[in-house]
Amino acid sequence: MIIILLGAPGSGKGTQAKMLSSKFNIPHISTGDIFRRNIKENTLLGKKAKMYIDKGQLVPDEVTCEIVDDRINMDDCRNGFILDGFPRTIFQANELENMLQKLQLEINYVLNIVVTNQSVITRISGRRMCNCGQIYHIDRNPTKIDGICDVCGEATYIRDDDQPKTIKTRLQAYHQATKPLEDYYLKKGLLINIDGEPAPKEVFNEVVTVI
Ligand code: ADP
Ligand code: ZN
């Protein structure tokens, strides 16, 4: 099963993707996570991506498509995967078609997580990350001990690109480059809109009901 998650930054794509990944036992592929890991490890890819990400801009299509192509060609992707944060442009969506054609695979669902701009801003500004992959929110999903991850005990942190100024640029990029994908997948009969405003578990229930 191949599932694509669409939605604004902070719409909860990553959270839903993780839950889907464990329910269906297929890999969760987040281009944002791949970039962040590479930035942390200071790889060549990390260096290329960092200057765009820190400004809230999209990483160039060729760079992004290459990492996705590599990833979906790995053995663990044979039974499907969840794409979170890719495609984000029409160019990327067309490239994905080519990649999947070579693999003789097809997209099953495109889930569009719908939230208001205001929710995006509230969510992102309260978001806290942990290196183990857990994501928290200072009001909606706080850690038991302030600033310490419940799962692994490490200190949580704010993503570099979650600063207010950068959030604005990311939202602009979303509206300009990514929004047109809704129409793109609607025309292919793949788009399903999901109300992303309720709590993560409720959103997940809706997701599971529609697929
Ligand atoms: P969010 O969805 O909250 O913006 P992500 O972790 O998906 O967070 O992405 C973080 C950043 O990584 C983006 O702002 C962008 O700079 C870069 N990025 C991620 N996926 C892509 C993509 N498909 N194309 C271009 N840039 C991307
Ligand atoms: Zn942790």
Side-chain angles (χ1 to χ4, degrees):
M1 176 145 59
I2 297 179
I3 303 175
I4 293 178
L5 289 166
L6 279 186
S11 59
K13 296 186 299 285
T15 309
Q16 296 304 318
K18 282 196 190 75
M19 292 195 267
L20 281 166
S21 166
S22 52
K23 183 171 173 78
F24 294 108
N25 208 6
I26 48 177
H28 166 206
I29 304 173
S30 157
T31 41
D33 284 350
I34 295 174
F35 289 139
R36 279 186 288 278
R37 207 177 314 129
N38 277 276
I39 290 171
K40 224 180 119 206
E41 289 164 8
N42 208 19
T43 65
L44 189 61
L45 172 65
K47 283 180 199 140
K48 272 192 220 164
K50 187 175 165 49
M51 51 184 180
Y52 299 99
I53 293 181
D54 284 354
K55 282 188 246 165
Q57 297 166 358
L58 295 183
V59 177
D61 284 333
E62 308 78 67
V63 179
T64 310
C65 289
E66 197 183 315
I67 62 165
V68 173
D69 200 12
D70 288 347
R71 183 64 189 87
I72 67 177
N73 272 284
M74 289 182 185
D75 281 348
D76 64 337
C77 288
R78 276 208 205 120
N79 294 323
F81 45 85
I82 296 151
L83 286 175
D84 159 18
F86 184 93
R88 246 176 162 100
T89 63
I90 298 281
F91 182 93
Q92 292 178 9
N94 286 326
E95 281 299 295
L96 178 64
E97 294 291 310
N98 296 335
M99 295 174 203
L100 293 177
Q101 206 165 15
K102 280 185 203 138
L103 289 163
Q104 291 186 302
L105 294 173
E106 271 178 19
I107 299 164
N108 297 87
Y109 304 100
V110 178
L111 305 175
N112 184 37
I113 318 271
V114 184
V115 290
T116 63
N117 263 356
Q118 190 46 56
S119 299
V120 164
I121 292 162
T122 320
R123 286 182 188 186
I124 297 185
S125 47
R127 176 154 66 184
R128 297 293 181 272
M129 315 287 291
C130 179
N131 280 329
C132 75
Q134 272 317 105
I135 304 170
Y136 300 94
H137 188 280
I138 47 170
D139 306 317
R140 290 170 132 237
N141 176 29
T143 53
K144 290 198 185 83
I145 304 165
D146 210 24
I148 301 294
C149 176
D150 295 348
V151 176
C152 74
E154 273 193 46
T156 59
Y157 60 92
I158 302 174
R159 252 168 63 173
D160 284 341
D161 60 343
D162 279 353
Q163 310 300 332
K165 207 180 93 217
T166 320
I167 296 173
K168 231 181 111 192
T169 316
R170 282 163 64 198
L171 272 172
Q172 272 165 4
Y174 167 71
H175 285 285
Q176 278 167 20
T178 311
K179 262 268 180 199
L181 288 179
E182 291 176 12
D183 220 38
Y184 179 96
Y185 286 119
L186 185 70
K187 287 194 178 118
K188 289 182 188 282
L190 292 170
L191 192 80
I192 301 172
N193 287 320
I194 303 280
D195 179 7
E197 295 291 342
K201 273 196 189 126
E202 285 172 52
V203 176
F204 188 61
N205 285 340
E206 196 190 335
V207 166
V208 173
T209 313
V210 296
I211 67 177

